[in-house]
Amino acid sequence: MSTWRNNGGWNKSHGTVEITPRVDSFEAGTVESGGALFTYGGGKSLLLECDHCTEYGPTEKADREIVELWAGGWSQTIELSRIASGFGGSRAFWLCPACGRRVRYLYFAGKIFLCRKCAGVNYKSQQETKSDCMYYYDKGMALVEKHLDRWPRFRPDGFSFCRWVPDRPRYMHQTTYRRYLARFLRYRQKHADRQMTDMLRLLKILK
Protein backbone atom coordinates (compact mmCIF):
# COMPACT_ATOMS: atom_id res chain seq x y z
CA MET A 1 0.00 0.00 0.00
CA SER A 2 2.90 2.41 0.59
CA THR A 3 3.45 2.71 -3.17
CA TRP A 4 0.14 4.53 -3.58
CA ARG A 5 1.41 7.77 -2.11
CA ASN A 6 2.45 10.44 -4.59
CA ASN A 7 3.55 13.81 -3.31
CA GLY A 8 3.00 16.77 -5.60
CA GLY A 9 2.57 20.48 -5.88
CA TRP A 10 5.32 23.00 -5.37
CA ASN A 11 5.76 21.92 -1.75
CA LYS A 12 7.11 18.39 -2.10
CA SER A 13 6.75 17.70 1.62
CA HIS A 14 2.96 17.61 1.24
CA GLY A 15 0.70 15.67 -1.08
CA THR A 16 -2.26 17.32 -2.74
CA VAL A 17 -5.94 16.44 -2.58
CA GLU A 18 -6.06 16.14 -6.37
CA ILE A 19 -3.50 13.32 -6.60
CA THR A 20 -3.89 11.51 -3.26
CA PRO A 21 -6.07 8.35 -3.28
CA ARG A 22 -9.26 8.83 -1.26
CA VAL A 23 -12.38 6.92 -0.23
CA ASP A 24 -15.88 8.43 -0.23
CA SER A 25 -18.17 7.87 2.78
CA PHE A 26 -21.27 8.41 0.63
CA GLU A 27 -20.30 5.34 -1.39
CA ALA A 28 -19.38 3.31 1.68
CA GLY A 29 -22.72 4.13 3.31
CA THR A 30 -24.63 2.53 0.44
CA VAL A 31 -22.71 -0.76 0.51
CA GLU A 32 -24.87 -3.52 1.93
CA SER A 33 -22.89 -6.18 3.78
CA GLY A 34 -20.05 -6.82 1.31
CA GLY A 35 -18.97 -4.94 -1.77
CA ALA A 36 -16.17 -2.82 -3.15
CA LEU A 37 -14.95 0.78 -3.07
CA PHE A 38 -12.76 2.67 -5.51
CA THR A 39 -9.97 4.99 -4.49
CA TYR A 40 -9.20 7.90 -6.78
CA GLY A 41 -6.02 9.90 -7.12
CA GLY A 42 -3.50 11.01 -9.68
CA GLY A 43 -5.71 9.86 -12.53
CA LYS A 44 -5.66 6.29 -11.24
CA SER A 45 -8.25 4.18 -9.45
CA LEU A 46 -7.82 1.13 -7.25
CA LEU A 47 -10.47 -1.36 -6.16
CA LEU A 48 -10.75 -2.13 -2.44
CA GLU A 49 -12.80 -4.94 -0.96
CA CYS A 50 -15.34 -3.62 1.55
CA ASP A 51 -17.41 -5.06 4.40
CA HIS A 52 -20.13 -2.89 5.96
CA CYS A 53 -21.90 -3.93 9.16
CA THR A 54 -23.60 -2.46 12.22
CA GLU A 55 -22.53 -3.27 15.77
CA TYR A 56 -25.71 -2.96 17.78
CA GLY A 57 -25.51 -1.65 21.34
CA PRO A 58 -27.87 -1.53 24.32
CA THR A 59 -29.34 1.73 22.99
CA GLU A 60 -29.72 3.28 19.56
CA LYS A 61 -26.96 5.79 20.30
CA ALA A 62 -24.58 2.93 21.07
CA ASP A 63 -24.95 1.41 17.60
CA ARG A 64 -21.85 1.71 15.42
CA GLU A 65 -21.55 1.35 11.65
CA ILE A 66 -18.26 -0.30 10.82
CA VAL A 67 -16.55 -0.52 7.43
CA GLU A 68 -13.56 -2.76 6.85
CA LEU A 69 -11.40 -2.15 3.78
CA TRP A 70 -8.73 -4.48 2.50
CA ALA A 71 -6.51 -5.13 -0.50
CA GLY A 72 -3.93 -7.90 -0.57
CA GLY A 73 -2.35 -8.12 2.88
CA TRP A 74 -3.48 -4.62 3.91
CA SER A 75 -6.67 -3.81 5.84
CA GLN A 76 -8.23 -0.96 7.84
CA THR A 77 -11.38 -0.69 9.94
CA ILE A 78 -13.17 2.68 9.92
CA GLU A 79 -16.34 3.91 11.62
CA LEU A 80 -19.22 5.72 9.92
CA SER A 81 -21.52 8.34 11.44
CA ARG A 82 -24.90 9.23 9.95
CA ILE A 83 -26.62 12.61 9.64
CA ALA A 84 -30.28 12.97 8.69
CA SER A 85 -30.76 14.53 5.26
CA GLY A 86 -33.54 16.84 4.17
CA PHE A 87 -35.08 14.13 2.02
CA GLY A 88 -36.14 11.76 4.77
CA GLY A 89 -33.01 9.63 4.65
CA SER A 90 -29.50 9.99 5.98
CA ARG A 91 -25.94 10.45 4.78
CA ALA A 92 -22.94 8.59 6.11
CA PHE A 93 -19.68 10.34 7.00
CA TRP A 94 -16.36 8.85 8.03
CA LEU A 95 -15.05 9.38 11.54
CA CYS A 96 -11.36 10.08 11.08
CA PRO A 97 -9.37 7.33 12.88
CA ALA A 98 -6.89 9.91 14.19
CA CYS A 99 -8.91 12.96 15.28
CA GLY A 100 -12.50 11.67 15.18
CA ARG A 101 -13.74 14.48 12.91
CA ARG A 102 -16.75 13.76 10.71
CA VAL A 103 -15.65 14.02 7.07
CA ARG A 104 -16.79 12.79 3.68
CA TYR A 105 -13.36 11.87 2.32
CA LEU A 106 -10.42 10.06 3.86
CA TYR A 107 -7.02 10.26 2.15
CA PHE A 108 -4.31 7.62 2.03
CA ALA A 109 -1.48 8.67 4.34
CA GLY A 110 1.09 5.99 3.57
CA LYS A 111 -0.39 3.17 5.68
CA ILE A 112 -3.98 4.13 6.52
CA PHE A 113 -6.74 6.49 5.39
CA LEU A 114 -7.10 9.71 7.41
CA CYS A 115 -8.91 13.04 7.05
CA ARG A 116 -7.23 15.72 4.96
CA LYS A 117 -5.65 17.51 7.92
CA CYS A 118 -4.36 14.36 9.61
CA ALA A 119 -3.08 12.99 6.30
CA GLY A 120 -1.19 16.25 5.73
CA VAL A 121 -2.48 16.91 2.22
CA ASN A 122 -3.28 20.34 0.78
CA TYR A 123 -5.28 21.63 -2.14
CA LYS A 124 -3.16 22.29 -5.22
CA SER A 125 -4.16 25.96 -5.13
CA GLN A 126 -2.56 26.24 -1.67
CA GLN A 127 0.78 25.14 -3.10
CA GLU A 128 0.76 27.30 -6.20
CA THR A 129 2.73 30.50 -6.43
CA LYS A 130 2.08 33.43 -8.76
CA SER A 131 5.81 33.86 -9.23
CA ASP A 132 5.93 30.69 -11.31
CA CYS A 133 5.94 31.42 -15.06
CA MET A 134 3.30 28.76 -15.79
CA TYR A 135 0.86 29.84 -13.05
CA TYR A 136 -1.39 31.86 -15.35
CA TYR A 137 -1.03 29.30 -18.15
CA ASP A 138 -2.46 26.64 -15.84
CA LYS A 139 -5.26 28.99 -14.77
CA GLY A 140 -6.14 29.78 -18.37
CA MET A 141 -6.16 26.15 -19.52
CA ALA A 142 -8.22 25.11 -16.50
CA LEU A 143 -10.79 27.76 -17.46
CA VAL A 144 -10.87 26.52 -21.07
CA GLU A 145 -11.25 22.86 -20.10
CA LYS A 146 -13.99 23.60 -17.58
CA HIS A 147 -16.14 26.05 -19.53
CA LEU A 148 -15.14 26.10 -23.20
CA ASP A 149 -13.52 22.91 -24.41
CA ARG A 150 -13.13 19.96 -22.07
CA TRP A 151 -10.90 18.05 -24.49
CA PRO A 152 -9.14 20.69 -26.64
CA ARG A 153 -7.89 19.22 -29.91
CA PHE A 154 -4.94 21.60 -29.73
CA ARG A 155 -3.20 22.20 -26.41
CA PRO A 156 -0.74 25.10 -26.72
CA ASP A 157 2.63 25.12 -25.04
CA GLY A 158 3.83 28.04 -22.93
CA PHE A 159 4.91 30.09 -25.96
CA SER A 160 2.01 29.48 -28.38
CA PHE A 161 -0.39 30.11 -25.48
CA CYS A 162 0.43 33.83 -25.81
CA ARG A 163 -1.30 33.94 -29.21
CA TRP A 164 -3.90 31.18 -28.81
CA VAL A 165 -7.65 31.85 -28.61
CA PRO A 166 -10.04 28.99 -27.73
CA ASP A 167 -13.00 28.46 -30.06
CA ARG A 168 -16.58 29.08 -28.99
CA PRO A 169 -18.42 25.81 -28.22
CA ARG A 170 -21.07 25.08 -30.82
CA TYR A 171 -24.12 25.67 -28.63
CA MET A 172 -22.74 28.37 -26.32
CA HIS A 173 -24.35 31.81 -26.46
CA GLN A 174 -22.09 34.60 -27.72
CA THR A 175 -22.51 36.61 -24.51
CA THR A 176 -21.43 33.66 -22.36
CA TYR A 177 -18.50 32.93 -24.64
CA ARG A 178 -17.30 36.54 -24.51
CA ARG A 179 -17.47 36.51 -20.70
CA TYR A 180 -15.28 33.43 -20.44
CA LEU A 181 -13.01 34.67 -23.22
CA ALA A 182 -12.40 37.92 -21.36
CA ARG A 183 -11.24 35.96 -18.30
CA PHE A 184 -9.05 33.76 -20.47
CA LEU A 185 -7.43 36.75 -22.17
CA ARG A 186 -6.57 38.27 -18.79
CA TYR A 187 -4.77 35.04 -17.84
CA ARG A 188 -3.07 34.99 -21.26
CA GLN A 189 -1.81 38.56 -20.89
CA LYS A 190 -0.51 37.94 -17.37
CA HIS A 191 1.27 34.81 -18.61
CA ALA A 192 2.86 36.76 -21.48
CA ASP A 193 3.96 39.54 -19.11
CA ARG A 194 5.50 37.03 -16.73
CA GLN A 195 7.21 35.22 -19.59
CA MET A 196 8.72 38.49 -20.87
CA THR A 197 9.92 39.41 -17.37
CA ASP A 198 11.59 36.02 -16.98
CA MET A 199 13.27 36.31 -20.40
CA LEU A 200 14.63 39.79 -19.62
CA ARG A 201 15.95 38.56 -16.28
CA LEU A 202 17.66 35.65 -18.03
CA LEU A 203 19.26 37.97 -20.60
CA LYS A 204 20.69 40.13 -17.81
CA ILE A 205 22.19 37.06 -16.18
CA LEU A 206 23.81 35.94 -19.47
CA LYS A 207 25.38 39.35 -20.16
Side-chain angles (χ1 to χ4, degrees):
M1 294 289 290
S2 60
T3 58
W4 296 1
R5 192 165 191 178
N6 185 9
N7 288 339
W10 306 116
N11 184 347
K12 298 298 182 179
S13 65
H14 292 78
T16 62
V17 167
E18 291 80 5
I19 66 173
T20 304
R22 70 184 187 186
V23 285
D24 189 341
S25 65
F26 287 8
E27 293 182 12
T30 62
V31 173
E32 296 182 3
S33 184
L37 290 182
F38 284 96
T39 66
Y40 305 94
K44 298 180 181 180
S45 61
L46 180 67
L47 183 67
L48 298 177
E49 298 294 330
C50 172
D51 267 347
H52 182 187
C53 66
T54 301
E55 294 183 355
Y56 295 98
T59 65
E60 184 177 345
K61 291 184 178 181
D63 294 345
R64 300 169 67 237
E65 286 188 56
I66 302 296
V67 172
E68 183 176 3
L69 304 175
W70 73 91
W74 171 90
S75 66
Q76 181 180 357
T77 301
I78 316 173
E79 187 173 350
L80 287 174
S81 173
R82 287 197 177 269
I83 295 179
S85 67
F87 305 99
S90 64
R91 289 184 175 180
F93 291 85
W94 299 116
L95 293 179
C96 174
C99 67
R101 288 197 314 129
R102 186 186 289 117
V103 294
R104 177 174 176 180
Y105 297 110
L106 292 179
Y107 299 88
F108 192 66
K111 295 182 179 179
I112 60 174
F113 286 95
L114 300 170
C115 73
R116 185 178 67 84
K117 289 187 177 181
C118 293
V121 294
N122 296 326
Y123 293 103
K124 185 179 179 180
S125 59
Q126 293 177 293
Q127 298 185 347
E128 291 177 334
T129 170
K130 293 183 180 180
S131 63
D132 182 78
C133 65
M134 295 298 283
Y135 175 82
Y136 291 110
Y137 170 90
D138 292 335
K139 290 290 186 182
M141 290 307 301
L143 173 69
V144 169
E145 293 173 2
K146 182 176 181 180
H147 297 292
L148 297 176
D149 190 354
R150 187 173 183 181
W151 307 107
R153 292 183 297 275
F154 170 72
R155 188 178 183 89
D157 58 25
F159 291 100
S160 57
F161 180 79
C162 298
R163 302 181 303 276
W164 184 65
V165 177
D167 295 331
R168 178 176 67 88
R170 183 177 180 183
Y171 299 106
M172 179 174 285
H173 195 279
Q174 285 283 359
T175 303
T176 304
Y177 171 67
R178 286 195 294 269
R179 184 173 73 250
Y180 288 131
L181 183 61
R183 287 176 56 190
F184 170 80
L185 293 177
R186 287 196 293 271
Y187 288 134
R188 194 184 74 172
Q189 185 60 50
K190 289 180 179 180
H191 171 75
D193 293 343
R194 169 58 62 180
Q195 197 171 64
M196 181 60 68
T197 300
D198 290 345
M199 291 178 65
L200 292 174
R201 184 182 298 116
L202 180 60
L203 289 173
K204 290 181 179 179
I205 294 175
L206 295 177
K207 285 183 178 179

